[in-house]
Amino acid sequence: MRVIRCKPHLRMCSTLAALLSFSIWSTASVVPLSAQTTALPLGLAAGAKEAQITLDGKHWATLGSSSSPIYDGTTIRTGNGIASALLKDGTQLEIQPRSLIGISGSRSAPVVKIAVGLVLFRLPASSATVLVTPGVRYEVAAGGPAKSPAVTRVGAATPHSSDQ
């Protein structure tokens, strides 16, 4: 029988590596699943001319014709350009010139806050997207026409204090 001997410092390194691996694994099992995975995008956006996008409100990037991911907290401004967005729930947005919108929420229930400007939208009947403007909040009304997804009824309500 052959005995394999390790040098003491190598044994210590492998022990530390095993402890570190276990520590990371056990921490990952305690942290909520939403915090474990990288954030999935709420949708995709594209733009033309002066359209820009930001996640932090400070560092703006040009929103070009290739698709850019939209994450929770994304802000889009158009200047003299235009932009379009397709959210994961099927909601389509066309952001007109001189508009500013913020997109938050989740993939299944996005919230689009229209701060300034004009936004054309198409909501599928099954959409849970909420559109919020400075004076009115729009939500898809229950029992909308199931066979005509191009036309969606919306109900308007005055803003709640939680919308501010």
Side-chain angles (χ1 to χ4, degrees):
M1 182 158 109
R2 187 173 177 188
V3 177
I4 299 175
R5 297 184 190 249
C6 296
K7 295 186 178 182
H9 72 283
L10 289 178
R11 202 172 332 148
M12 181 184 247
C13 287
S14 64
T15 303
L16 286 174
L19 285 172
L20 183 61
S21 306
F22 177 75
S23 172
I24 291 170
W25 176 82
S26 62
T27 302
S29 65
V30 173
V31 175
L33 183 59
S34 60
Q36 287 181 29
T37 59
T38 58
L40 295 173
L42 303 178
L44 298 172
K49 295 187 181 178
E50 295 179 14
Q52 295 179 318
I53 190 169
T54 185
L55 269 173
D56 62 6
K58 297 176 185 175
H59 302 93
W60 291 89
T62 300
L63 187 56
S65 60
S66 61
S67 296
S68 296
I70 299 170
Y71 294 100
D72 180 30
T74 295
T75 303
I76 299 173
R77 66 182 178 191
T78 54
N80 287 324
I82 60 170
S84 62
L86 175 61
L87 303 180
K88 290 295 181 182
D89 74 343
T91 298
Q92 299 173 9
L93 305 170
E94 185 177 310
I95 304 117
Q96 299 297 305
R98 294 171 298 286
S99 298
L100 176 69
I101 69 165
I103 302 172
S104 59
S106 66
R107 290 166 58 99
S108 59
V111 176
V112 178
K113 292 185 178 181
I114 305 166
V116 174
L118 178 65
V119 177
L120 306 176
F121 57 90
R122 181 173 294 205
L123 301 169
S126 62
S127 176
T129 297
V130 175
L131 300 168
V132 181
T133 65
V136 180
R137 174 187 174 110
Y138 296 95
E139 294 182 9
V140 176
K147 295 185 180 188
S148 179
V151 177
T152 303
R153 295 181 192 164
V154 297
T158 56
H160 300 283
S161 59
S162 64
D163 295 335
Q164 305 300 327

